[in-house]
Amino acid sequence: MVAIITPWNFPIGIPAWKIAPALAYGNTVVFKPADLVPGCAWLLVDILIRAGLPKGVLNLVMGKGSIVGRTMLESPDVNAVTFTGSIATGRIVAEVSARHMRKFQLEMGGKNPLVVLDDADLQLAVEIAASGSYFQTGQRCTASSRLIVTSGIYGKFLDALTDRIKRLTVDDACKHGTDVGPVVDANQLKQDEDYIRIGKGEGATLAWGGERLNRDTPGFYLQPALFSETTPHMRINREEIFGPVASVIKVKDYDEALAVANDTPFGLSSGICTTSLKHATHFKRNSEVGMVMVNLPTAGVDYHVPFGGRKGSSFGPREQGRYAAEFFTTVKTAYTQA
């Protein structure tokens, strides 16, 4: 049996890309979604069961991770655990799974860098930064939360990005024309606002945003926030915020940009905006992450490619595509003498 524990930010996508290979490779599944999104989980499981899954193959459980999730982790019937969520919870999953000597797969946080070099197409770089940093309200583990910009383009980039995010429409995510929806709940909104205060206290300049907004549809709306004049060692550049908050770090050249990009306990996704094939090729090879984008947002990969990172972002085999076989199957070596 495989235990699947998923977060709230992709309430159908992440469960689907875990459940599908688990079932395809012949496993039974017990699935616990985040307690903020029970409806999506119920609909997904209901569709699969009505499609003809045998009774008991796919099982849905609801509730708090500290209660239901812990019960799953301690069950001797669970042979493997695949988890996506916070680093703190991931460590608990690892600790309990190791004690039970079972397989486990962890996808956790990110503090993803987007490097913008002097030779970048400015308009393209701004659109990439706005999309990667603020779309889906920045609530993606692959969001571009650190914008590392070389000095020659820094001023023009900062002005253009500030102007761009001023034009983002923050409203009900179901309303036509909305660019940025509400933060998921009051706790996440408080965390975002706390980090905005931390950034100001550390000496960063709030170039734009960070204010609560009211809209016709009730929700936890927050202006996209952009910090400038930041340094790599500020908490807003070290810790995952998981909201519409990004910061710009000025560096002198490509070599410093790469060093700053890699100076993080995370290693999920990274990106670079450049017209230099030399720098793009070097960055792809030397960026200490699991996924690299060139002239594209850091967020978003196809389902047939491996998803996962390095360092504190991930542990265990990659998800998706043919790489999923490594986790959801067991390798066996057999000899036969004819």
Side-chain angles (χ1 to χ4, degrees), residues 233-253:
H233 300 295
M234 290 179 175
R235 285 182 62 190
I236 56 171
N237 285 324
R238 306 297 296 176
E239 301 170 11
E240 186 176 43
I241 299 172
F242 220 67
V245 182
S247 53
V248 186
I249 305 169
K250 181 162 70 173
V251 294
K252 63 181 179 180
D253 56 20

Side-chain angles (χ1 to χ4, degrees), residues 116-129 149 153-161 273 275:
V116 181
L117 299 185
D118 288 352
D119 63 7
D121 178 318
L122 179 61
Q123 182 177 356
L124 178 63
V126 166
E127 290 301 318
I128 288 169
V149 185
I153 200 174
Y154 177 86
K156 291 184 290 184
F157 176 83
L158 180 60
D159 290 344
L161 181 59
C273 294
T275 55

Side-chain angles (χ1 to χ4, degrees), residues 68 77 79 121 128 132 179 244 277 286:
V68 179
D77 296 324
N79 306 110
D121 178 318
I128 288 169
D179 297 307
L277 181 60
N286 292 281

